Amino acid sequence: MIAWRDIKWLFLDMDGTLLDLNFDTHFWQEHVPKRYAQRHGLDLETARDELMPRYRKVEGTMDWYCLDYWSQELDMDVALLKQEVDHLIEVFPGVTDFLDRVRAAGKHISLVTNAHQKSLSLKMERTRLEGHFDDIICAHDLGLPKEHHDFWPRLHAIRPFEPAHTLFIDDSLPVLRSARTYGIRYLLAVHQPDSGMPPKDVGEFDAIHHFDDIMP
């Protein structure tokens, strides 16, 4: 159970929390390798073998989330490639009802995402979720990913909040650990951020299966 009476701010991750991570998994593991293979005259497995080390090299950094970086790195318009499969973008069941209930309870709702602005714009256009948030914080505007310990002071400087009265939900354990170190009191992971994959180990965090689990 969540102590909703004690919570004033709700911070929500986007990919893997509100939106099914299956879109991103398919995009980076299947669609990009396919287009990369076509561009360079490679078979699919060779393309994957070339791409995976390049992914791992920047994982957890701003470059990993930056579509402009990948467009330059791969010599392809990655934002345009995302549009080719944007029909796979899906909101998890119960999300809009949950957001409406939290709003009705008088809580401040912020989307806090590492997603690049172009990806964020595409997903908001596709899902029509933007109007459910009081504000949207994009890590690219702050210059650091949520995993970084200095992200949270930067966020606080532009969006003052009380960590002791904040609930933050995210599917990334490194991000949750960073938020915990900063002092955010209420933290929840997500059991199954990708509907195409089995439930994940949520480590030391409590986690939700569905938003019905914590409906105000």
Side-chain angles (χ1 to χ4, degrees):
M1 296 295 292
I2 294 296
W4 282 108
R5 291 183 179 180
D6 193 44
I7 292 168
K8 299 178 183 178
W9 289 268
L10 172 63
F11 290 169
L12 291 161
D13 172 51
M14 182 172 67
D15 301 317
T17 300
L18 300 179
L19 306 186
D20 193 334
L21 198 61
N22 181 252
F23 166 79
D24 299 275
T25 301
H26 175 83
F27 180 75
W28 292 108
Q29 301 293 327
E30 303 294 335
H31 195 62
V32 170
K34 181 176 77 171
R35 290 292 188 230
Y36 185 83
Q38 291 170 346
R39 183 169 186 81
H40 295 282
L42 304 172
D43 62 79
L44 188 57
E45 284 308 308
T46 301
R48 284 200 184 99
D49 289 343
E50 288 191 13
L51 288 171
M52 297 309 151
R54 296 165 80 172
Y55 290 172
R56 289 191 291 270
K57 181 180 177 181
V58 295
E59 193 171 3
T61 70
M62 280 278 70
D63 284 343
W64 166 239
Y65 301 103
C66 181
L67 300 194
D68 292 336
Y69 168 84
W70 287 114
S71 292
Q72 182 174 352
E73 183 77 5
L74 305 179
D75 192 25
M76 298 189 295
D77 188 338
V78 175
L80 186 61
L81 294 185
K82 285 207 166 195
Q83 294 179 31
E84 293 178 353
V85 288
D86 67 358
H87 60 281
L88 297 177
I89 298 171
E90 287 193 32
V91 181
F92 276 128
V95 163
T96 53
D97 288 344
F98 173 73
L99 294 173
D100 289 343
R101 289 282 289 273
V102 174
R103 172 69 61 80
K107 314 304 179 183
H108 185 99
I109 308 174
S110 295
L111 181 67
V112 185
T113 179
N114 280 336
H116 187 261
Q117 292 95 333
K118 292 177 181 176
S119 182
L120 175 61
S121 178
L122 174 66
K123 289 175 179 178
M124 289 300 100
E125 180 182 352
R126 184 78 189 185
T127 64
R128 305 298 183 188
L129 282 180
E130 187 169 358
H132 290 275
F133 309 112
D134 292 293
D135 50 21
I136 295 176
I137 292 94
C138 176
H140 293 265
D141 294 329
L142 276 66
L144 290 171
K146 293 181 291 181
E147 294 93 326
H148 198 284
H149 58 85
D150 284 336
F151 171 85
W152 301 99
R154 291 192 186 187
L155 172 57
H156 191 274
I158 64 168
R159 295 287 188 276
F161 65 97
E162 298 174 58
H165 298 286
T166 299
L167 167 62
F168 176 43
I169 308 175
D170 200 295
D171 68 303
S172 166
L173 300 186
V175 168
L176 290 169
R177 291 179 184 124
S178 174
R180 181 177 60 193
T181 299
Y182 182 69
I184 293 180
R185 181 177 180 184
Y186 299 100
L187 298 167
L188 287 173
V190 179
H191 277 295
Q192 194 172 12
D194 184 333
S195 65
M197 304 288 285
K200 62 184 285 186
D201 180 0
V202 295
E204 64 272 29
F205 296 99
D206 291 333
I208 60 171
H209 291 279
H210 308 284
F211 279 93
D212 287 348
D213 297 344
I214 55 167
M215 195 74 73

